[in-house]
Amino acid sequence: MKYSVVFSSRTGNTAQLAQAALAALPPEDCIYSGSLEELRQAGEPSDWEKAPFLLAGFWTDKGSCDEKMAGFLQGLHHKKVFLFGTAGFGGSDAYFSRILENVSALLPDDNTLLGTYMCQGKMPASVKERYEAMLEKNPGNERVASFLANFSQALSHPDADDLEKLQMRIHTIFNEQK
């Protein structure tokens, strides 16, 4: 089945997932692979739309995907879609599920959602600095201390296990569609 991979990646985490997704699928079936920004710079028309299967990757912004990806997803029609994303905060399947529900809801009804995948992603140093400043102003704030602990935990993500899980999920879904 012909496919395209389109992603939005602010820090490089989702780009890593996109590369892993490509590695899980037959390269000869790929019509397009690249960032949403690259796609927009290329202008219209684009071959990506010729693929019935679309893997769309996003980074998490305020509990959903970023604004540009939201607009892209809202404009999709008649596609089989697999959503994948990263979030700086991790460790909770319930949190990831809420994000995926929010992003999935952006797809028009004439699309088919084939599957989803989320994992934690590292955050920029500026986030750590902001948390440290918050903790300095309010020492002993357990909530902010937990943010700092999560920042440290996220530094290794996406890791090899995250990438392998994504590839296994994509491989299974892709084979079911043949």
Short mmCIF file of all heavy atoms in Angstrom, two decimals, residues 6-62:
data_model
loop_
_atom_site.label_atom_id
_atom_site.label_comp_id
_atom_site.label_asym_id
_atom_site.label_seq_id
_atom_site.Cartn_x
_atom_site.Cartn_y
_atom_site.Cartn_z
N VAL A 6 4.10 12.53 7.02
CA VAL A 6 4.16 13.97 7.20
C VAL A 6 4.20 14.22 8.70
O VAL A 6 3.39 13.66 9.45
CB VAL A 6 2.95 14.69 6.57
CG1 VAL A 6 3.01 16.18 6.83
CG2 VAL A 6 2.87 14.41 5.07
N PHE A 7 5.15 15.05 9.14
CA PHE A 7 5.28 15.26 10.58
C PHE A 7 5.63 16.71 10.90
O PHE A 7 6.12 17.45 10.05
CB PHE A 7 6.33 14.33 11.18
CG PHE A 7 7.72 14.56 10.64
CD1 PHE A 7 8.59 15.44 11.28
CD2 PHE A 7 8.15 13.93 9.49
CE1 PHE A 7 9.86 15.67 10.77
CE2 PHE A 7 9.41 14.14 8.98
CZ PHE A 7 10.27 15.02 9.62
N SER A 8 5.38 17.07 12.14
CA SER A 8 5.77 18.36 12.69
C SER A 8 6.64 18.05 13.90
O SER A 8 6.23 17.27 14.77
CB SER A 8 4.53 19.15 13.11
OG SER A 8 4.89 20.38 13.68
N SER A 9 7.83 18.63 13.94
CA SER A 9 8.76 18.31 15.03
C SER A 9 9.47 19.58 15.47
O SER A 9 10.25 20.15 14.72
CB SER A 9 9.78 17.27 14.55
OG SER A 9 10.60 16.86 15.61
N ARG A 10 9.21 19.98 16.67
CA ARG A 10 9.81 21.21 17.20
C ARG A 10 11.23 20.97 17.72
O ARG A 10 12.10 21.81 17.56
CB ARG A 10 8.92 21.76 18.32
CG ARG A 10 9.39 23.06 18.88
CD ARG A 10 8.37 23.57 19.86
NE ARG A 10 8.84 24.78 20.52
CZ ARG A 10 8.28 25.29 21.57
NH1 ARG A 10 7.24 24.70 22.11
NH2 ARG A 10 8.75 26.38 22.10
N THR A 11 11.46 19.83 18.37
CA THR A 11 12.75 19.57 19.00
C THR A 11 13.51 18.41 18.37
O THR A 11 14.60 18.08 18.82
CB THR A 11 12.57 19.26 20.50
OG1 THR A 11 11.73 18.11 20.62
CG2 THR A 11 11.94 20.44 21.24
N GLY A 12 12.92 17.76 17.38
CA GLY A 12 13.56 16.62 16.74
C GLY A 12 13.04 15.27 17.21
O GLY A 12 13.33 14.25 16.60
N ASN A 13 12.26 15.26 18.28
CA ASN A 13 11.74 13.99 18.80
C ASN A 13 10.80 13.31 17.80
O ASN A 13 10.93 12.12 17.53
CB ASN A 13 10.98 14.22 20.11
CG ASN A 13 11.87 14.72 21.22
OD1 ASN A 13 13.05 14.40 21.29
ND2 ASN A 13 11.31 15.54 22.10
N THR A 14 9.86 14.06 17.28
CA THR A 14 8.90 13.48 16.35
C THR A 14 9.58 13.13 15.03
O THR A 14 9.20 12.14 14.38
CB THR A 14 7.70 14.41 16.14
OG1 THR A 14 7.17 14.77 17.43
CG2 THR A 14 6.60 13.75 15.34
N ALA A 15 10.59 13.87 14.66
CA ALA A 15 11.37 13.53 13.46
C ALA A 15 12.02 12.16 13.63
O ALA A 15 12.09 11.37 12.68
CB ALA A 15 12.41 14.60 13.17
N GLN A 16 12.49 11.86 14.84
CA GLN A 16 13.05 10.53 15.12
C GLN A 16 12.00 9.44 14.92
O GLN A 16 12.28 8.40 14.35
CB GLN A 16 13.57 10.44 16.56
CG GLN A 16 14.91 11.05 16.79
CD GLN A 16 15.34 10.81 18.23
OE1 GLN A 16 15.06 11.61 19.11
NE2 GLN A 16 15.99 9.68 18.46
N LEU A 17 10.79 9.70 15.40
CA LEU A 17 9.72 8.73 15.21
C LEU A 17 9.40 8.55 13.73
O LEU A 17 9.15 7.44 13.27
CB LEU A 17 8.46 9.15 15.96
CG LEU A 17 8.51 9.17 17.49
CD1 LEU A 17 7.14 9.51 18.06
CD2 LEU A 17 9.01 7.87 18.07
N ALA A 18 9.41 9.65 12.98
CA ALA A 18 9.13 9.57 11.55
C ALA A 18 10.16 8.70 10.84
O ALA A 18 9.81 7.88 9.98
CB ALA A 18 9.09 10.97 10.94
N GLN A 19 11.42 8.84 11.22
CA GLN A 19 12.46 8.01 10.62
C GLN A 19 12.26 6.53 10.97
O GLN A 19 12.45 5.66 10.12
CB GLN A 19 13.85 8.49 11.07
CG GLN A 19 14.26 9.81 10.48
CD GLN A 19 14.26 9.79 8.95
OE1 GLN A 19 14.80 8.88 8.33
NE2 GLN A 19 13.65 10.79 8.36
N ALA A 20 11.86 6.27 12.19
CA ALA A 20 11.58 4.89 12.60
C ALA A 20 10.37 4.34 11.83
O ALA A 20 10.37 3.18 11.44
CB ALA A 20 11.33 4.81 14.10
N ALA A 21 9.37 5.17 11.61
CA ALA A 21 8.19 4.75 10.85
C ALA A 21 8.60 4.37 9.44
O ALA A 21 8.17 3.33 8.92
CB ALA A 21 7.15 5.86 10.83
N LEU A 22 9.43 5.18 8.82
CA LEU A 22 9.90 4.88 7.47
C LEU A 22 10.65 3.56 7.42
O LEU A 22 10.51 2.79 6.46
CB LEU A 22 10.80 6.00 6.96
CG LEU A 22 10.09 7.25 6.48
CD1 LEU A 22 11.10 8.37 6.26
CD2 LEU A 22 9.31 6.97 5.22
N ALA A 23 11.44 3.30 8.43
CA ALA A 23 12.23 2.06 8.48
C ALA A 23 11.35 0.83 8.64
O ALA A 23 11.77 -0.28 8.32
CB ALA A 23 13.25 2.13 9.62
N ALA A 24 10.13 1.02 9.13
CA ALA A 24 9.21 -0.11 9.35
C ALA A 24 8.42 -0.48 8.10
O ALA A 24 7.76 -1.51 8.08
CB ALA A 24 8.25 0.22 10.49
N LEU A 25 8.48 0.37 7.08
CA LEU A 25 7.65 0.17 5.89
C LEU A 25 8.50 0.01 4.65
O LEU A 25 9.64 0.49 4.59
CB LEU A 25 6.71 1.37 5.73
CG LEU A 25 5.68 1.55 6.84
CD1 LEU A 25 4.99 2.91 6.72
CD2 LEU A 25 4.66 0.43 6.80
N PRO A 26 7.95 -0.62 3.62
CA PRO A 26 8.71 -0.81 2.38
C PRO A 26 9.03 0.54 1.72
O PRO A 26 8.11 1.32 1.43
CB PRO A 26 7.77 -1.63 1.49
CG PRO A 26 6.71 -2.16 2.39
CD PRO A 26 6.63 -1.25 3.56
N PRO A 27 10.29 0.82 1.49
CA PRO A 27 10.66 2.12 0.91
C PRO A 27 10.07 2.35 -0.48
O PRO A 27 9.77 3.48 -0.85
CB PRO A 27 12.19 2.09 0.85
CG PRO A 27 12.59 0.70 1.15
CD PRO A 27 11.44 -0.02 1.77
N GLU A 28 9.84 1.29 -1.23
CA GLU A 28 9.30 1.44 -2.58
C GLU A 28 7.84 1.89 -2.59
O GLU A 28 7.33 2.36 -3.61
CB GLU A 28 9.46 0.14 -3.39
CG GLU A 28 8.67 -1.03 -2.86
CD GLU A 28 9.38 -1.85 -1.77
OE1 GLU A 28 10.43 -1.41 -1.24
OE2 GLU A 28 8.87 -2.93 -1.44
N ASP A 29 7.16 1.78 -1.44
CA ASP A 29 5.77 2.21 -1.35
C ASP A 29 5.62 3.64 -0.85
O ASP A 29 4.51 4.16 -0.78
CB ASP A 29 4.98 1.26 -0.42
CG ASP A 29 4.77 -0.11 -1.04
OD1 ASP A 29 4.81 -0.21 -2.29
OD2 ASP A 29 4.57 -1.07 -0.29
N CYS A 30 6.72 4.29 -0.50
CA CYS A 30 6.69 5.65 0.04
C CYS A 30 6.53 6.67 -1.10
O CYS A 30 7.35 6.72 -2.02
CB CYS A 30 7.95 5.95 0.84
SG CYS A 30 7.94 7.59 1.60
N ILE A 31 5.50 7.45 -1.02
CA ILE A 31 5.27 8.52 -2.00
C ILE A 31 5.92 9.81 -1.54
O ILE A 31 6.52 10.54 -2.32
CB ILE A 31 3.76 8.71 -2.25
CG1 ILE A 31 3.24 7.48 -3.00
CG2 ILE A 31 3.50 9.99 -3.04
CD1 ILE A 31 1.77 7.51 -3.31
N TYR A 32 5.82 10.10 -0.25
CA TYR A 32 6.40 11.33 0.30
C TYR A 32 6.78 11.10 1.75
O TYR A 32 6.07 10.43 2.49
CB TYR A 32 5.40 12.50 0.22
CG TYR A 32 5.93 13.75 0.89
CD1 TYR A 32 6.76 14.61 0.19
CD2 TYR A 32 5.65 14.03 2.22
CE1 TYR A 32 7.30 15.74 0.80
CE2 TYR A 32 6.17 15.14 2.83
CZ TYR A 32 6.99 16.00 2.12
OH TYR A 32 7.52 17.10 2.73
N SER A 33 7.87 11.71 2.16
CA SER A 33 8.26 11.74 3.56
C SER A 33 8.95 13.05 3.86
O SER A 33 9.90 13.42 3.19
CB SER A 33 9.21 10.58 3.87
OG SER A 33 9.67 10.69 5.21
N GLY A 34 8.43 13.76 4.86
CA GLY A 34 9.07 15.01 5.24
C GLY A 34 8.24 15.76 6.25
O GLY A 34 7.12 15.38 6.60
N SER A 35 8.83 16.83 6.72
CA SER A 35 8.15 17.66 7.72
C SER A 35 7.03 18.46 7.08
O SER A 35 7.03 18.72 5.86
CB SER A 35 9.14 18.58 8.41
OG SER A 35 9.52 19.62 7.54
N LEU A 36 6.10 18.86 7.89
CA LEU A 36 5.00 19.71 7.43
C LEU A 36 5.56 21.01 6.87
O LEU A 36 5.08 21.51 5.85
CB LEU A 36 4.05 19.97 8.60
CG LEU A 36 2.74 20.67 8.32
CD1 LEU A 36 1.95 19.93 7.25
CD2 LEU A 36 1.92 20.77 9.60
N GLU A 37 6.61 21.52 7.49
CA GLU A 37 7.24 22.74 7.02
C GLU A 37 7.83 22.55 5.62
O GLU A 37 7.66 23.38 4.74
CB GLU A 37 8.33 23.19 8.00
CG GLU A 37 8.89 24.56 7.72
CD GLU A 37 7.86 25.67 7.82
OE1 GLU A 37 6.94 25.59 8.65
OE2 GLU A 37 7.99 26.64 7.05
N GLU A 38 8.51 21.42 5.40
CA GLU A 38 9.06 21.12 4.07
C GLU A 38 7.95 20.99 3.04
O GLU A 38 8.09 21.46 1.91
CB GLU A 38 9.88 19.82 4.11
CG GLU A 38 11.14 19.91 4.90
CD GLU A 38 11.76 18.55 5.18
OE1 GLU A 38 11.05 17.54 5.24
OE2 GLU A 38 12.99 18.53 5.35
N LEU A 39 6.85 20.39 3.44
CA LEU A 39 5.72 20.21 2.55
C LEU A 39 5.14 21.57 2.16
O LEU A 39 4.86 21.83 0.98
CB LEU A 39 4.66 19.35 3.22
CG LEU A 39 3.45 18.97 2.39
CD1 LEU A 39 3.86 18.10 1.20
CD2 LEU A 39 2.45 18.22 3.25
N ARG A 40 5.00 22.45 3.13
CA ARG A 40 4.45 23.78 2.85
C ARG A 40 5.39 24.60 1.96
O ARG A 40 4.94 25.35 1.11
CB ARG A 40 4.15 24.51 4.15
CG ARG A 40 2.99 23.90 4.90
CD ARG A 40 2.73 24.62 6.22
NE ARG A 40 1.76 23.89 6.99
CZ ARG A 40 0.48 24.24 7.08
NH1 ARG A 40 0.04 25.28 6.44
NH2 ARG A 40 -0.34 23.53 7.83
N GLN A 41 6.69 24.47 2.17
CA GLN A 41 7.66 25.20 1.37
C GLN A 41 7.67 24.70 -0.07
O GLN A 41 7.93 25.48 -0.99
CB GLN A 41 9.06 25.08 1.97
CG GLN A 41 9.22 25.87 3.24
CD GLN A 41 10.57 25.64 3.92
OE1 GLN A 41 11.39 24.87 3.46
NE2 GLN A 41 10.77 26.32 5.03
N ALA A 42 7.38 23.41 -0.27
CA ALA A 42 7.37 22.85 -1.62
C ALA A 42 6.20 23.39 -2.43
O ALA A 42 6.26 23.43 -3.64
CB ALA A 42 7.31 21.32 -1.54
N GLY A 43 5.16 23.81 -1.74
CA GLY A 43 3.98 24.35 -2.42
C GLY A 43 3.08 23.26 -2.95
O GLY A 43 3.33 22.07 -2.80
N GLU A 44 2.01 23.68 -3.58
CA GLU A 44 1.03 22.73 -4.13
C GLU A 44 1.20 22.66 -5.63
O GLU A 44 1.67 23.60 -6.25
CB GLU A 44 -0.38 23.22 -3.78
CG GLU A 44 -0.68 23.25 -2.29
CD GLU A 44 -0.70 21.89 -1.63
OE1 GLU A 44 -1.03 20.89 -2.31
OE2 GLU A 44 -0.37 21.80 -0.45
N PRO A 45 0.81 21.62 -6.30
CA PRO A 45 0.33 20.38 -5.73
C PRO A 45 1.49 19.51 -5.25
O PRO A 45 2.63 19.72 -5.66
CB PRO A 45 -0.40 19.71 -6.88
CG PRO A 45 0.31 20.20 -8.09
CD PRO A 45 0.81 21.58 -7.76
N SER A 46 1.19 18.54 -4.43
CA SER A 46 2.22 17.65 -3.91
C SER A 46 1.77 16.21 -4.07
O SER A 46 0.58 15.91 -3.97
CB SER A 46 2.48 17.96 -2.44
OG SER A 46 3.41 17.04 -1.93
N ASP A 47 2.72 15.34 -4.29
CA ASP A 47 2.40 13.93 -4.49
C ASP A 47 1.94 13.23 -3.22
O ASP A 47 1.35 12.16 -3.29
CB ASP A 47 3.62 13.19 -5.04
CG ASP A 47 3.86 13.49 -6.50
OD1 ASP A 47 2.94 14.02 -7.16
OD2 ASP A 47 4.97 13.20 -6.98
N TRP A 48 2.20 13.81 -2.04
CA TRP A 48 1.86 13.12 -0.80
C TRP A 48 0.39 12.71 -0.79
O TRP A 48 0.03 11.67 -0.24
CB TRP A 48 2.18 13.99 0.42
CG TRP A 48 1.18 15.08 0.68
CD1 TRP A 48 1.22 16.36 0.23
CD2 TRP A 48 -0.04 14.96 1.42
NE1 TRP A 48 0.10 17.05 0.64
CE2 TRP A 48 -0.68 16.22 1.37
CE3 TRP A 48 -0.65 13.92 2.10
CZ2 TRP A 48 -1.90 16.45 2.00
CZ3 TRP A 48 -1.87 14.16 2.73
CH2 TRP A 48 -2.48 15.42 2.67
N GLU A 49 -0.46 13.50 -1.42
CA GLU A 49 -1.90 13.24 -1.38
C GLU A 49 -2.30 12.00 -2.16
O GLU A 49 -3.39 11.48 -1.98
CB GLU A 49 -2.66 14.44 -1.91
CG GLU A 49 -2.53 15.66 -1.00
CD GLU A 49 -3.33 16.82 -1.50
OE1 GLU A 49 -2.79 17.61 -2.30
OE2 GLU A 49 -4.50 16.92 -1.08
N LYS A 50 -1.42 11.50 -3.03
CA LYS A 50 -1.73 10.31 -3.83
C LYS A 50 -1.71 9.03 -2.99
O LYS A 50 -2.22 8.01 -3.41
CB LYS A 50 -0.74 10.18 -4.98
CG LYS A 50 -0.88 11.29 -6.00
CD LYS A 50 0.15 11.15 -7.08
CE LYS A 50 0.06 12.33 -8.05
NZ LYS A 50 1.15 12.27 -9.04
N ALA A 51 -1.14 9.10 -1.80
CA ALA A 51 -1.06 7.91 -0.94
C ALA A 51 -2.35 7.76 -0.14
O ALA A 51 -2.79 8.68 0.52
CB ALA A 51 0.12 8.04 0.02
N PRO A 52 -2.94 6.56 -0.17
CA PRO A 52 -4.15 6.33 0.62
C PRO A 52 -3.86 6.20 2.12
O PRO A 52 -4.74 6.40 2.95
CB PRO A 52 -4.72 5.03 0.07
CG PRO A 52 -3.55 4.34 -0.55
CD PRO A 52 -2.61 5.41 -1.01
N PHE A 53 -2.60 5.86 2.46
CA PHE A 53 -2.20 5.64 3.84
C PHE A 53 -1.29 6.79 4.26
O PHE A 53 -0.28 7.04 3.61
CB PHE A 53 -1.47 4.30 3.93
CG PHE A 53 -1.05 3.87 5.31
CD1 PHE A 53 -1.86 4.04 6.41
CD2 PHE A 53 0.17 3.24 5.49
CE1 PHE A 53 -1.47 3.61 7.67
CE2 PHE A 53 0.58 2.80 6.74
CZ PHE A 53 -0.24 3.00 7.84
N LEU A 54 -1.67 7.50 5.32
CA LEU A 54 -0.89 8.64 5.80
C LEU A 54 -0.48 8.41 7.24
O LEU A 54 -1.31 8.13 8.10
CB LEU A 54 -1.70 9.94 5.72
CG LEU A 54 -1.01 11.16 6.31
CD1 LEU A 54 0.19 11.58 5.46
CD2 LEU A 54 -1.99 12.30 6.48
N LEU A 55 0.80 8.54 7.50
CA LEU A 55 1.32 8.53 8.86
C LEU A 55 1.60 9.98 9.21
O LEU A 55 2.41 10.64 8.54
CB LEU A 55 2.60 7.70 8.95
CG LEU A 55 2.42 6.20 8.65
CD1 LEU A 55 2.65 5.91 7.19
CD2 LEU A 55 3.34 5.40 9.50
N ALA A 56 0.92 10.49 10.22
CA ALA A 56 1.04 11.90 10.59
C ALA A 56 1.60 12.02 12.00
O ALA A 56 1.03 11.49 12.95
CB ALA A 56 -0.33 12.59 10.51
N GLY A 57 2.74 12.70 12.12
CA GLY A 57 3.41 12.83 13.41
C GLY A 57 3.34 14.25 13.94
O GLY A 57 3.39 15.21 13.19
N PHE A 58 3.27 14.37 15.25
CA PHE A 58 3.10 15.68 15.88
C PHE A 58 3.83 15.75 17.22
O PHE A 58 4.13 14.74 17.83
CB PHE A 58 1.61 15.98 16.09
CG PHE A 58 0.94 15.00 17.03
CD1 PHE A 58 0.88 15.23 18.39
CD2 PHE A 58 0.39 13.82 16.53
CE1 PHE A 58 0.29 14.32 19.25
CE2 PHE A 58 -0.21 12.90 17.38
CZ PHE A 58 -0.26 13.16 18.74
N TRP A 59 4.08 16.96 17.65
CA TRP A 59 4.56 17.21 19.01
C TRP A 59 3.38 17.78 19.78
O TRP A 59 2.46 18.37 19.20
CB TRP A 59 5.78 18.13 19.04
CG TRP A 59 5.62 19.46 18.39
CD1 TRP A 59 5.75 19.76 17.06
CD2 TRP A 59 5.32 20.71 19.03
NE1 TRP A 59 5.55 21.09 16.83
CE2 TRP A 59 5.29 21.71 18.04
CE3 TRP A 59 5.08 21.07 20.36
CZ2 TRP A 59 5.01 23.05 18.32
CZ3 TRP A 59 4.81 22.40 20.63
CH2 TRP A 59 4.79 23.38 19.62
N THR A 60 3.39 17.57 21.07
CA THR A 60 2.27 17.97 21.91
C THR A 60 2.38 19.42 22.35
O THR A 60 3.42 19.86 22.83
CB THR A 60 2.18 17.06 23.16
OG1 THR A 60 2.01 15.72 22.70
CG2 THR A 60 1.02 17.44 24.04
N ASP A 61 1.28 20.13 22.16
CA ASP A 61 1.17 21.53 22.57
C ASP A 61 -0.19 21.72 23.24
O ASP A 61 -1.22 21.55 22.58
CB ASP A 61 1.30 22.43 21.34
CG ASP A 61 1.35 23.90 21.69
OD1 ASP A 61 1.80 24.24 22.80
OD2 ASP A 61 0.94 24.72 20.84
N LYS A 62 -0.16 21.99 24.51
CA LYS A 62 -1.38 22.24 25.28
C LYS A 62 -2.40 21.11 25.17
O LYS A 62 -3.58 21.33 24.96
CB LYS A 62 -2.01 23.56 24.85
CG LYS A 62 -1.10 24.77 25.06
CD LYS A 62 -1.75 26.03 24.53
CE LYS A 62 -0.74 27.16 24.50
NZ LYS A 62 -0.15 27.35 23.18
#
